[in-house]
């Protein structure tokens, strides 16, 4: 199965959307975390708007690069990962950084 190369006229669009995907994923994760940490709903909305634009960029990137089959599935998986990973990372950080009032191992104590 031959993959049709990107036309030279579409190369800039392919490059630009790939860069935007990375930038928007970073911005989405940062705004999501900042919104959660500060409790500001507006930052959460801005994060979701970034994610929406990221999805558009993934669609354009996939179209311009003639993705089909497993490449298209991989693009979809990437877009879903960019959307859900900040949530999972936030939950992990929140769970591991909660103040624990019961310390089974006190510093300087004896360990069995």
């Amino acid at each position: 199965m031959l993959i049709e190369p990107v036309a030279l006229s579409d190369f800039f669009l392919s490059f630009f959307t790939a860069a935007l995907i990375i930038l928007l994923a970073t911005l989405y994760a940062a705004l999501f975390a900042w919104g959660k940490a500060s409790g500001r709903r507006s930052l959460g909305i801005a994060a979701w708007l970034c994610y929406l634009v990221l999805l558009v960029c993934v669609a354009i990137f996939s179209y311009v690069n003639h993705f089909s089959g497993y490449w298209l599935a991989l693009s979809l998986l990437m877009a879903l990962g960019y959307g859900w990973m900040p949530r999972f990372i936030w939950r992990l950080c929140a769970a591991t950084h909660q103040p624990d009032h019961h310390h089974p191992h006190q510093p300087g104590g004896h360990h069995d």
Side-chain angles (χ1 to χ4, degrees):
M1 170 168 70
L2 294 174
I3 298 174
E4 185 179 339
V6 176
L8 192 56
S9 61
D10 290 334
F11 179 76
F12 177 74
L13 186 59
S14 177
F15 177 80
F16 184 70
T17 55
L20 272 177
I21 289 168
I22 295 167
L23 178 67
L24 289 167
T26 303
L27 188 58
Y28 164 69
L31 287 172
F32 179 82
W34 192 11
K36 285 288 200 178
S38 67
R40 293 175 53 192
R41 182 170 164 79
S42 61
L43 292 173
I45 293 170
W48 281 112
L49 287 175
C50 283
Y51 184 66
L52 179 65
V53 176
L54 180 140
L55 291 177
V56 170
C57 287
V58 169
I60 293 170
F61 184 78
S62 298
Y63 176 76
V64 168
N65 287 294
H66 311 287
F67 286 171
S68 63
Y70 60 86
W71 284 107
L72 194 57
L74 187 62
S75 290
L76 179 62
L77 186 62
M78 174 193 67
L80 292 174
Y82 277 143
W84 289 102
M85 274 303 129
R87 295 179 163 278
F88 292 137
I89 292 169
W90 178 262
R91 286 186 178 180
L92 176 65
C93 289
T96 57
H97 290 84
Q98 290 292 327
D100 190 15
H101 299 293
H102 179 265
H103 297 287
H105 300 288
Q106 294 294 330
H110 290 79
H111 300 283
D112 294 326

